[in-house]
Amino acid sequence: RAPPWMLGATRATTTTTTTAAQSSFARVARRLATTTAARAPAPRAASGDTTASHQRAASMPGEFDDAKRAMRRAMRDSLRAMSAETISIEDAAIARHARQVRRVRDAARCATYLASARLREVSTSALIADALARPASMVFAPVVDVGGDAVRTMRMVHVEDVARDVERGAYDLPEPTASYADGRRRLDVVRDVARVGALDVIIVPGVAFNARGVRLGRGGGYYDSFLSLYAETVAARGLAPPLVVALAYSCQYIADADVPAEAHDRCVDVVITPSGAIACTPAGALALESSVQ
Protein backbone atom coordinates (compact mmCIF):
# COMPACT_ATOMS: atom_id res chain seq x y z
CA ARG A 1 0.00 0.00 0.00
CA ALA A 2 1.31 3.47 -0.81
CA PRO A 3 2.26 5.70 2.13
CA PRO A 4 -0.65 7.91 3.28
CA TRP A 5 1.22 11.03 2.16
CA MET A 6 1.45 9.73 -1.42
CA LEU A 7 -1.95 8.22 -2.23
CA GLY A 8 -1.86 6.48 -5.60
CA ALA A 9 1.56 7.90 -6.49
CA THR A 10 4.32 5.70 -7.76
CA ARG A 11 7.00 8.09 -6.52
CA ALA A 12 7.08 11.46 -4.79
CA THR A 13 8.49 13.37 -7.72
CA THR A 14 5.71 12.46 -10.17
CA THR A 15 7.76 13.74 -13.10
CA THR A 16 6.54 12.13 -16.29
CA THR A 17 7.05 15.01 -18.67
CA THR A 18 9.65 15.38 -21.38
CA THR A 19 13.29 15.84 -20.50
CA ALA A 20 13.26 19.29 -22.08
CA ALA A 21 10.43 20.50 -19.85
CA GLN A 22 12.17 19.13 -16.76
CA SER A 23 15.46 20.77 -17.65
CA SER A 24 13.82 24.14 -18.25
CA PHE A 25 12.11 24.08 -14.87
CA ALA A 26 15.25 22.85 -13.11
CA ARG A 27 17.36 25.64 -14.57
CA VAL A 28 14.93 28.23 -13.20
CA ALA A 29 14.93 26.56 -9.78
CA ARG A 30 18.74 26.50 -9.66
CA ARG A 31 18.91 30.16 -10.67
CA LEU A 32 16.54 31.08 -7.87
CA ALA A 33 18.50 29.02 -5.35
CA THR A 34 21.77 30.74 -6.19
CA THR A 35 20.38 34.29 -6.11
CA THR A 36 18.29 34.15 -2.93
CA ALA A 37 20.61 33.58 -0.01
CA ALA A 38 18.59 35.94 2.20
CA ARG A 39 15.22 34.54 3.19
CA ALA A 40 11.93 36.03 4.36
CA PRO A 41 9.27 34.45 6.62
CA ALA A 42 7.78 31.20 5.34
CA PRO A 43 4.43 31.20 3.51
CA ARG A 44 1.46 30.07 5.53
CA ALA A 45 -0.12 26.67 5.25
CA ALA A 46 -3.71 26.62 4.07
CA SER A 47 -4.83 26.00 7.65
CA GLY A 48 -3.14 29.25 8.73
CA ASP A 49 -0.09 27.57 10.30
CA THR A 50 3.37 28.99 9.64
CA THR A 51 6.33 26.63 10.00
CA ALA A 52 9.94 26.54 8.96
CA SER A 53 9.21 23.41 6.94
CA HIS A 54 7.52 25.48 4.25
CA GLN A 55 9.40 27.04 1.35
CA ARG A 56 11.01 30.35 2.33
CA ALA A 57 11.03 33.37 0.09
CA ALA A 58 13.69 35.73 -1.12
CA SER A 59 13.86 39.14 0.50
CA MET A 60 15.37 40.90 -2.53
CA PRO A 61 12.34 42.14 -4.53
CA GLY A 62 14.05 42.53 -7.92
CA GLU A 63 15.65 39.10 -8.00
CA PHE A 64 12.56 37.54 -6.46
CA ASP A 65 10.22 38.99 -9.08
CA ASP A 66 12.64 37.94 -11.83
CA ALA A 67 12.62 34.39 -10.47
CA LYS A 68 8.83 34.30 -10.47
CA ARG A 69 8.64 35.58 -14.04
CA ALA A 70 11.28 33.12 -15.21
CA MET A 71 9.48 30.18 -13.62
CA ARG A 72 6.15 31.25 -15.10
CA ARG A 73 7.73 31.47 -18.56
CA ALA A 74 9.29 28.04 -18.21
CA MET A 75 6.02 26.49 -17.10
CA ARG A 76 4.05 28.27 -19.85
CA ASP A 77 6.41 26.80 -22.43
CA SER A 78 6.07 23.32 -20.90
CA LEU A 79 2.28 23.54 -20.87
CA ARG A 80 2.14 24.75 -24.46
CA ALA A 81 4.29 21.79 -25.48
CA MET A 82 1.67 19.33 -24.21
CA SER A 83 -0.35 17.66 -26.95
CA ALA A 84 -4.13 17.44 -26.82
CA GLU A 85 -3.81 13.70 -26.28
CA THR A 86 -1.45 14.16 -23.33
CA ILE A 87 -3.76 16.74 -21.77
CA SER A 88 -6.74 14.39 -22.09
CA ILE A 89 -4.82 11.48 -20.57
CA GLU A 90 -3.51 13.54 -17.66
CA ASP A 91 -6.91 15.16 -17.00
CA ALA A 92 -8.47 11.71 -16.69
CA ALA A 93 -5.70 10.42 -14.42
CA ILE A 94 -5.92 13.46 -12.13
CA ALA A 95 -9.70 13.11 -11.84
CA ARG A 96 -9.28 9.42 -11.03
CA HIS A 97 -6.80 10.13 -8.24
CA ALA A 98 -8.92 12.99 -6.90
CA ARG A 99 -11.86 10.62 -6.54
CA GLN A 100 -9.69 8.41 -4.33
CA VAL A 101 -9.33 11.22 -1.79
CA ARG A 102 -12.29 10.78 0.52
CA ARG A 103 -12.63 14.45 1.46
CA VAL A 104 -12.83 15.35 -2.23
CA ARG A 105 -15.07 12.45 -3.20
CA ASP A 106 -17.56 12.98 -0.36
CA ALA A 107 -17.45 16.79 -0.07
CA ALA A 108 -20.86 18.29 0.69
CA ARG A 109 -19.60 21.82 0.01
CA CYS A 110 -16.87 22.18 -2.60
CA ALA A 111 -15.35 25.36 -4.03
CA THR A 112 -13.44 24.93 -7.26
CA TYR A 113 -12.06 26.90 -10.17
CA LEU A 114 -13.66 26.60 -13.61
CA ALA A 115 -10.82 25.44 -15.83
CA SER A 116 -9.63 27.48 -18.80
CA ALA A 117 -8.36 25.46 -21.76
CA ARG A 118 -6.63 28.60 -23.03
CA LEU A 119 -4.54 28.78 -19.85
CA ARG A 120 -3.92 25.02 -19.92
CA GLU A 121 -5.50 24.51 -16.51
CA VAL A 122 -6.31 20.99 -15.36
CA SER A 123 -9.94 20.20 -16.14
CA THR A 124 -12.38 20.27 -13.23
CA SER A 125 -15.42 19.23 -15.29
CA ALA A 126 -15.55 15.63 -14.07
CA LEU A 127 -15.16 16.59 -10.40
CA ILE A 128 -17.83 19.31 -10.69
CA ALA A 129 -20.20 16.83 -12.36
CA ASP A 130 -19.58 14.33 -9.54
CA ALA A 131 -20.27 16.97 -6.89
CA LEU A 132 -23.46 18.23 -8.54
CA ALA A 133 -24.72 14.66 -8.80
CA ARG A 134 -24.42 14.06 -5.06
CA PRO A 135 -27.65 14.67 -3.13
CA ALA A 136 -27.65 17.92 -1.13
CA SER A 137 -24.12 18.83 -2.19
CA MET A 138 -23.18 22.41 -3.13
CA VAL A 139 -20.58 23.67 -5.62
CA PHE A 140 -19.07 27.16 -5.55
CA ALA A 141 -17.00 28.81 -8.27
CA PRO A 142 -14.94 32.02 -8.44
CA VAL A 143 -16.05 35.47 -9.55
CA VAL A 144 -13.58 38.35 -9.89
CA ASP A 145 -15.05 41.72 -8.90
CA VAL A 146 -13.67 45.04 -10.11
CA GLY A 147 -14.21 47.95 -7.74
CA GLY A 148 -14.45 51.62 -8.62
CA ASP A 149 -10.78 52.09 -7.78
CA ALA A 150 -9.86 49.13 -10.03
CA VAL A 151 -9.15 46.93 -7.00
CA ARG A 152 -9.96 43.36 -7.91
CA THR A 153 -11.15 40.75 -5.44
CA MET A 154 -12.39 37.19 -5.82
CA ARG A 155 -15.48 35.57 -4.35
CA MET A 156 -16.79 32.01 -4.44
CA VAL A 157 -20.49 31.78 -5.29
CA HIS A 158 -23.00 28.96 -5.62
CA VAL A 159 -23.45 27.16 -8.97
CA GLU A 160 -26.31 24.75 -9.63
CA ASP A 161 -25.82 24.01 -13.35
CA VAL A 162 -22.57 24.87 -15.14
CA ALA A 163 -24.13 24.98 -18.60
CA ARG A 164 -26.84 27.41 -17.43
CA ASP A 165 -25.06 29.38 -14.69
CA VAL A 166 -21.65 30.15 -16.22
CA GLU A 167 -20.65 32.90 -18.64
CA ARG A 168 -17.46 34.69 -19.73
CA GLY A 169 -16.27 37.12 -17.07
CA ALA A 170 -13.06 38.90 -16.06
CA TYR A 171 -10.04 38.05 -18.23
CA ASP A 172 -12.48 36.24 -20.55
CA LEU A 173 -12.55 33.33 -18.10
CA PRO A 174 -15.64 31.27 -17.19
CA GLU A 175 -17.52 32.71 -14.20
CA PRO A 176 -20.92 32.22 -12.58
CA THR A 177 -23.57 34.78 -13.48
CA ALA A 178 -24.49 37.39 -10.86
CA SER A 179 -27.79 35.79 -9.89
CA TYR A 180 -29.84 32.60 -10.04
CA ALA A 181 -32.31 32.08 -12.87
CA ASP A 182 -35.09 33.55 -10.70
CA GLY A 183 -33.09 36.73 -10.04
CA ARG A 184 -31.98 35.96 -6.48
CA ARG A 185 -28.40 36.80 -5.51
CA ARG A 186 -26.13 33.78 -5.53
CA LEU A 187 -24.99 32.46 -2.17
CA ASP A 188 -21.45 33.57 -1.29
CA VAL A 189 -19.25 31.32 0.90
CA VAL A 190 -17.98 34.27 2.96
CA ARG A 191 -20.96 36.61 3.08
CA ASP A 192 -23.40 33.75 3.65
CA VAL A 193 -21.21 31.47 5.76
CA ALA A 194 -23.89 31.18 8.44
CA ARG A 195 -26.30 29.74 5.88
CA VAL A 196 -23.83 27.77 3.75
CA GLY A 197 -21.64 26.38 6.51
CA ALA A 198 -17.95 25.59 6.15
CA LEU A 199 -16.50 24.39 2.87
CA ASP A 200 -15.11 20.86 2.94
CA VAL A 201 -12.70 21.34 0.03
CA ILE A 202 -11.26 24.19 -2.02
CA ILE A 203 -9.73 23.14 -5.34
CA VAL A 204 -7.24 25.65 -6.72
CA PRO A 205 -5.25 26.03 -9.96
CA GLY A 206 -1.67 27.25 -10.23
CA VAL A 207 1.42 27.46 -12.39
CA ALA A 208 3.87 25.39 -10.34
CA PHE A 209 3.95 23.44 -7.07
CA ASN A 210 6.52 21.67 -4.90
CA ALA A 211 6.40 18.97 -2.24
CA ARG A 212 5.90 21.51 0.56
CA GLY A 213 2.70 22.75 -1.04
CA VAL A 214 4.20 26.04 -2.19
CA ARG A 215 2.06 27.34 -5.04
CA LEU A 216 3.13 29.75 -7.76
CA GLY A 217 0.06 31.45 -9.21
CA ARG A 218 -0.34 33.73 -12.21
CA GLY A 219 0.48 36.87 -10.27
CA GLY A 220 -2.94 38.31 -9.45
CA GLY A 221 -2.99 37.15 -5.83
CA TYR A 222 -6.68 36.27 -6.02
CA TYR A 223 -6.48 32.79 -4.52
CA ASP A 224 -3.99 33.76 -1.79
CA SER A 225 -6.26 36.63 -0.75
CA PHE A 226 -9.39 34.50 -0.85
CA LEU A 227 -7.80 31.65 1.12
CA SER A 228 -6.64 34.09 3.80
CA LEU A 229 -10.06 35.73 4.03
CA TYR A 230 -11.87 32.42 4.16
CA ALA A 231 -9.52 31.02 6.83
CA GLU A 232 -10.25 34.07 8.98
CA THR A 233 -14.00 33.74 8.35
CA VAL A 234 -14.29 30.11 9.47
CA ALA A 235 -11.87 30.57 12.36
CA ALA A 236 -13.97 33.45 13.71
CA ARG A 237 -16.98 31.12 13.80
CA GLY A 238 -15.11 28.14 15.22
CA LEU A 239 -15.59 26.11 12.03
CA ALA A 240 -13.13 23.56 10.68
CA PRO A 241 -10.89 24.78 7.84
CA PRO A 242 -11.34 23.21 4.39
CA LEU A 243 -8.82 20.95 2.72
CA VAL A 244 -7.03 22.98 0.04
CA VAL A 245 -6.25 20.83 -3.00
CA ALA A 246 -4.25 21.76 -6.11
CA LEU A 247 -4.55 19.98 -9.45
CA ALA A 248 -1.33 19.86 -11.48
CA TYR A 249 -0.13 18.40 -14.74
CA SER A 250 3.07 16.36 -14.55
CA CYS A 251 5.23 19.26 -15.69
CA GLN A 252 3.79 21.55 -13.00
CA TYR A 253 4.85 19.48 -9.99
CA ILE A 254 8.51 19.01 -9.13
CA ALA A 255 9.03 17.93 -5.55
CA ASP A 256 12.36 19.62 -4.87
CA ALA A 257 11.88 22.80 -6.91
CA ASP A 258 12.60 26.07 -5.11
CA VAL A 259 9.22 27.59 -5.96
CA PRO A 260 9.37 31.33 -5.11
CA ALA A 261 6.87 32.39 -2.45
CA GLU A 262 6.28 35.25 -0.04
CA ALA A 263 5.08 35.28 3.55
CA HIS A 264 1.47 36.02 2.51
CA ASP A 265 1.34 33.16 -0.01
CA ARG A 266 -0.80 30.20 1.00
CA CYS A 267 0.44 26.64 0.79
CA VAL A 268 -1.90 23.89 -0.40
CA ASP A 269 -2.57 20.76 1.65
CA VAL A 270 -2.56 18.25 -1.21
CA VAL A 271 -1.29 18.29 -4.79
CA ILE A 272 -2.95 15.83 -7.17
CA THR A 273 -0.99 14.91 -10.30
CA PRO A 274 -1.45 12.20 -12.96
CA SER A 275 0.72 9.95 -10.77
CA GLY A 276 -1.23 10.36 -7.55
CA ALA A 277 -2.12 12.57 -4.59
CA ILE A 278 0.73 13.99 -2.51
CA ALA A 279 0.26 15.39 0.99
CA CYS A 280 2.10 18.66 1.60
CA THR A 281 0.89 19.58 5.11
CA PRO A 282 -0.20 17.69 8.23
CA ALA A 283 -3.81 18.33 7.21
CA GLY A 284 -3.08 16.82 3.82
CA ALA A 285 -1.40 13.77 5.33
CA LEU A 286 -4.38 13.20 7.60
CA ALA A 287 -6.78 13.48 4.66
CA LEU A 288 -4.88 10.94 2.58
CA GLU A 289 -4.41 8.60 5.52
CA SER A 290 -8.18 8.56 6.13
CA SER A 291 -8.71 7.81 2.44
CA VAL A 292 -6.85 4.48 2.61
CA GLN A 293 -8.27 3.21 5.89
Side-chain angles (χ1 to χ4, degrees):
R1 189 175 72 178
W5 45 267
M6 197 168 66
L7 182 64
T10 56
R11 60 186 186 280
T13 52
T14 63
T15 52
T16 57
T17 58
T18 65
T19 302
Q22 295 285 9
S23 298
S24 177
F25 197 104
R27 284 195 299 272
V28 173
R30 285 196 298 271
R31 186 183 310 132
L32 175 64
T34 58
T35 59
T36 58
R39 301 291 182 178
R44 289 172 290 177
S47 61
D49 183 32
T50 302
T51 71
S53 65
H54 294 302
Q55 180 65 53
R56 295 182 183 275
S59 62
M60 303 175 68
E63 293 178 350
F64 185 63
D65 291 341
D66 288 346
K68 279 191 170 184
R69 283 192 291 268
M71 187 165 283
R72 288 189 180 108
R73 283 195 300 269
M75 293 313 306
R76 183 178 64 242
D77 292 344
S78 296
L79 289 168
R80 286 177 176 174
M82 293 177 66
S83 67
E85 180 182 12
T86 298
I87 289 173
S88 179
I89 291 172
E90 295 207 1
D91 278 340
I94 291 167
R96 183 172 66 253
H97 290 302
R99 291 179 177 119
Q100 294 175 354
V101 180
R102 183 175 299 167
R103 286 191 60 180
V104 175
R105 183 181 66 239
D106 298 340
R109 292 170 294 275
C110 173
T112 177
Y113 68 96
L114 301 171
S116 166
R118 174 173 59 84
L119 296 179
R120 295 295 176 97
E121 291 176 334
V122 176
S123 175
T124 52
S125 297
L127 298 181
I128 291 173
D130 289 350
L132 291 174
R134 290 193 292 270
S137 68
M138 301 181 75
V139 173
F140 300 84
V143 173
V144 172
D145 295 319
V146 182
D149 56 357
V151 173
R152 293 175 181 266
T153 59
M154 190 181 82
R155 298 177 294 121
M156 288 282 185
V157 301
H158 185 216
V159 173
E160 296 176 307
D161 183 310
V162 173
R164 182 192 64 204
D165 297 346
V166 173
E167 63 183 8
R168 291 289 167 181
Y171 304 111
D172 196 34
L173 297 176
E175 286 188 349
T177 56
S179 59
Y180 295 109
D182 61 6
R184 290 178 297 119
R185 176 183 61 82
R186 293 190 183 278
L187 290 172
D188 181 302
V189 298
V190 172
R191 179 176 178 176
D192 303 306
V193 64
R195 180 175 175 185
V196 171
L199 293 170
D200 299 301
V201 172
I202 301 176
I203 299 176
V204 302
V207 174
F209 309 89
N210 69 13
R212 289 177 289 275
V214 180
R215 169 186 171 273
L216 177 65
R218 297 188 179 276
Y222 300 117
Y223 281 90
D224 290 325
S225 296
F226 171 78
L227 291 173
S228 294
L229 174 62
Y230 192 74
E232 294 169 1
T233 299
V234 295
R237 291 181 169 269
L239 301 173
L243 185 74
V244 181
V245 176
L247 306 183
Y249 289 123
S250 296
C251 64
Q252 294 179 288
Y253 175 80
I254 297 186
D256 299 325
D258 193 10
V259 176
E262 300 176 82
H264 64 268
D265 291 335
R266 309 293 295 200
C267 293
V268 301
D269 297 309
V270 175
V271 178
I272 301 179
T273 76
S275 297
I278 301 98
C280 305
T281 67
L286 182 63
L288 297 197
E289 184 175 10
S290 69
S291 297
V292 296
Q293 289 176 345

